[in-house]
Amino acid sequence: MQKQQIVDWLSAWMREQGKLGDVAIPGEANFVEAGWVDSVGVIQLIYAAEQEFGIRFNEDHFADPAFPTVAGLAGIIANERREGAARPGPRR
């Protein structure tokens, strides 16, 4: 899955959950500061992304300054998918 597909999924999730309609969500905007996702929504987003992409977030991801942007979060997800595919053993 390409990073842009992840960006599209995240944007669609935020629009649907936040009832934002067709609002354009810039990739570099902070989605928490913009009010598109609140603190409970972040937890729901993390859970949904873990289920959708077969990854697990860790403390380092939450500390990453890119985390609260769509493009940054998509990059974290894409990287975890690549690293997960390279790890031996069962997929998460």
Side-chain angles (χ1 to χ4, degrees):
M1 179 175 284
Q2 298 294 323
K3 183 178 173 182
Q4 185 58 49
Q5 292 171 301
I6 299 170
V7 166
D8 293 344
W9 183 89
L10 290 168
S11 297
W13 187 94
M14 288 179 199
R15 280 193 298 274
E16 181 180 315
Q17 298 300 312
K19 297 175 181 45
L20 301 174
D22 291 333
V23 169
I25 299 177
E28 299 307 318
N30 184 311
F31 53 80
V32 175
E33 288 178 0
W36 298 321
V37 179
D38 63 15
S39 57
V40 172
V42 169
I43 294 167
Q44 293 169 330
L45 173 58
I46 295 309
Y47 178 77
E50 286 181 339
Q51 299 304 304
E52 179 71 19
F53 300 109
I55 63 166
R56 289 277 179 230
F57 287 94
N58 63 45
E59 291 178 27
D60 292 338
H61 298 134
F62 302 126
D64 188 325
F67 178 85
T69 68
V70 174
L73 184 52
I76 290 168
I77 292 169
N79 190 46
E80 275 301 298
R81 287 178 54 84
R82 277 191 302 277
E83 288 181 10
R87 288 185 199 115
R91 286 193 59 127
R92 298 184 261 161

